[in-house]
Amino acid sequence: MKLSFRWYGKEDKVTLENIRQIPGMHSIVTAVYDVPVGEVWSRESIAELKKQTEEAGLHFEVIESVPVHEDIKLGKPARDRYIANYCENIKRLAEAGIKCICYNFMPVFDWTRTQLDHVLPDGSTSLVYYQEQIDQVNPLASDSDLTLPGWDASYTREELKQVVAEYNSMSEENLWDNLKYFLEAVIPTAASCGVNMAIHEDDPCWSIFGLPRIITCEENLDKFLKLVDDPHNGITLCTGSLGCSAENDVVKMAGKYAAMGRIHFVHARNVAVLEDNRGFEERAHLSACGSLDMFAILKALHDNGFDGYIRPDHGRMIWGETGRAGYGLYDRALGATYLNGIWEALDKINR
């Protein structure tokens, strides 16, 4: 296991100096953030990220993410140009030493929450998703409140309505076809460069606003891996995205896909799943704090040979910290230590 940490660049309030002090930290997970989606990243920008990371004594091996342009997901005529740009980005990142690229194929919204600062019983704040609040929002209505967390702020109100309407006219099979077209183009490039592509599950793992969502469950992950059956075509196992549905057995999936060698990256996050499909709340990484058995998940990974990258996913805001919701230092550092401690214990048990 290679412990890693998300970093949003030199403007991030959490510095590389902070991150390097977390015991067992191996890699930085970052990206180029100032290039429009679909365009080619400059070698200079990539080199600067590598330089900053390595000067801090950390490895530059994981990118999260190279976003997939909506025209690719929608299957529009311009997709071939954007796919060519995507392949060029893979090549340039490989030149800089990147070994894993996390990405997603979610229509429009990378993730959705209804609140970023919900106060938990212990006084910390976290990200939450309440279905009754989602039900009150209609992206196609003229008076809709289009400000839910996770929505792309680069869209105007009318642009967002237009792209949502385009997806509403698509079926899940259309989206599967477009994903296959994308994979058949990029996986050979990734394989030739020695880069593992790791798709992130839909967050949350069900349809919102009638949009097709397909990376949601074990059956669909099986289907995904068969689209292009190549070891470089793998997944980012996000315990929170899958675990927010009580129907997903995350422990089983962790063991199954690790044994297949198809988990290239892990986002470790605990959630409390609410009754009657009312939503979920993000919690501390400790198993007892949420609905997921984090120890059992890591044990399934460990026992089935996982040796890839893992990072503590969203943390609460604790001890008065402020900053990017879910990406403060303190609780993610606690999460990293918890994950590292479990892995060390499992190593000792198996000796």
Side-chain angles (χ1 to χ4, degrees):
M1 180 191 78
K2 303 175 184 69
L3 191 62
S4 63
F5 211 81
R6 185 79 179 264
W7 179 63
Y8 283 94
K10 60 184 179 181
E11 303 303 321
D12 197 329
K13 290 178 68 174
V14 179
T15 66
L16 291 172
E17 288 71 23
N18 295 149
I19 297 168
R20 72 179 298 182
Q21 294 173 29
I22 300 171
M25 191 54 60
H26 178 273
S27 301
I28 286 297
V29 179
T30 190
V32 173
Y33 296 107
D34 59 355
V35 176
V37 173
E39 301 305 320
V40 176
W41 294 1
S42 73
R43 287 186 171 86
E44 292 76 16
S45 294
I46 297 169
E48 180 60 22
L49 283 175
K50 179 181 177 71
K51 178 174 179 289
Q52 292 171 328
T53 299
E54 293 183 345
E55 285 182 348
L58 297 162
H59 293 83
F60 180 69
E61 297 178 357
V62 185
I63 287 292
E64 184 183 343
S65 62
V66 182
V68 179
H69 195 278
E70 297 297 337
D71 282 8
I72 298 174
K73 301 174 195 174
L74 287 163
K76 290 187 171 183
R79 66 179 172 178
D80 288 333
R81 180 176 78 84
Y82 290 120
I83 289 174
N85 288 349
Y86 205 101
C87 289
E88 180 61 25
N89 280 330
I90 293 173
K91 293 174 184 176
R92 293 186 179 197
L93 289 166
E95 290 170 4
I98 290 299
K99 295 179 172 57
C100 178
I101 295 175
C102 174
Y103 69 102
N104 73 72
F105 217 75
M106 288 181 249
V108 191
F109 313 120
D110 278 2
W111 54 277
T112 300
R113 300 291 185 274
T114 57
Q115 189 178 345
L116 301 180
D117 57 356
H118 174 73
V119 180
L120 296 173
D122 63 4
S124 63
T125 62
S126 74
L127 288 71
V128 299
Y129 176 105
Y130 296 142
Q131 189 61 47
E132 66 269 19
Q133 294 175 334
I134 292 289
D135 292 341
Q136 296 170 7
V137 179
N138 179 358
L140 299 182
S142 60
D143 59 348
S144 178
D145 176 12
L146 303 177
T147 58
L148 282 178
W151 291 21
D152 189 341
S154 67
Y155 285 114
T156 66
R157 179 181 292 264
E158 291 306 314
E159 288 171 340
L160 183 57
K161 290 179 182 177
Q162 180 180 346
V163 72
V164 169
E166 288 183 276
Y167 277 110
N168 283 157
S169 67
M170 288 177 57
S171 67
E172 287 191 357
E173 280 308 312
N174 294 146
L175 191 58
W176 277 113
D177 289 343
N178 295 338
L179 176 54
K180 182 178 181 182
Y181 188 95
F182 171 73
L183 292 173
E184 288 177 341
V186 303
I187 295 302
T189 297
S192 69
C193 295
V195 172
N196 289 324
M197 299 295 296
I199 198 168
H200 189 288
E201 296 82 16
D202 298 343
D203 185 10
C205 57
W206 52 74
S207 177
I208 301 175
F209 312 124
L211 297 171
R213 287 196 159 195
I214 55 178
I215 309 300
T216 56
C217 60
E218 182 179 357
E219 179 183 358
N220 286 11
L221 286 171
D222 288 345
K223 181 175 180 177
F224 165 77
L225 293 173
K226 291 175 183 176
L227 291 179
V228 176
D229 194 4
D230 184 291
H232 296 86
N233 179 35
I235 66 174
T236 295
L237 184 81
C238 180
T239 64
S241 295
L242 290 169
C244 64
S245 170
E247 296 178 4
N248 283 330
D249 186 338
V250 184
V251 176
K252 177 186 176 185
M253 286 187 276
K256 173 181 177 176
Y257 298 122
M260 294 169 61
R262 301 297 279 273
I263 299 177
H264 301 317
F265 193 20
V266 174
H267 289 182
R269 166 168 35 111
N270 201 355
V271 294
V273 179
L274 307 181
E275 295 180 356
D276 302 322
N277 298 317
R278 291 185 295 113
F280 59 90
E281 298 174 350
E282 298 188 0
R283 296 290 182 86
H285 288 79
L286 192 72
S287 295
C289 294
S291 301
L292 304 184
D293 188 338
M294 301 299 290
F295 178 87
I297 292 169
L298 263 69
K299 187 175 188 300
L301 292 168
H302 184 278
D303 291 353
N304 287 281
F306 174 74
D307 61 356
Y309 303 92
I310 186 171
R311 71 169 177 83
D313 205 6
H314 304 164
R316 303 162 298 144
M317 285 300 184
I318 62 174
W319 304 335
E321 186 178 19
T322 60
R324 182 187 292 267
Y327 287 96
L329 171 64
Y330 303 146
D331 199 40
R332 285 191 297 155
L334 288 177
T337 301
Y338 178 59
L339 299 174
N340 213 31
I342 291 175
W343 205 265
E344 282 194 346
L346 291 169
D347 278 342
K348 290 180 179 179
I349 290 171
N350 288 352
R351 282 176 188 165

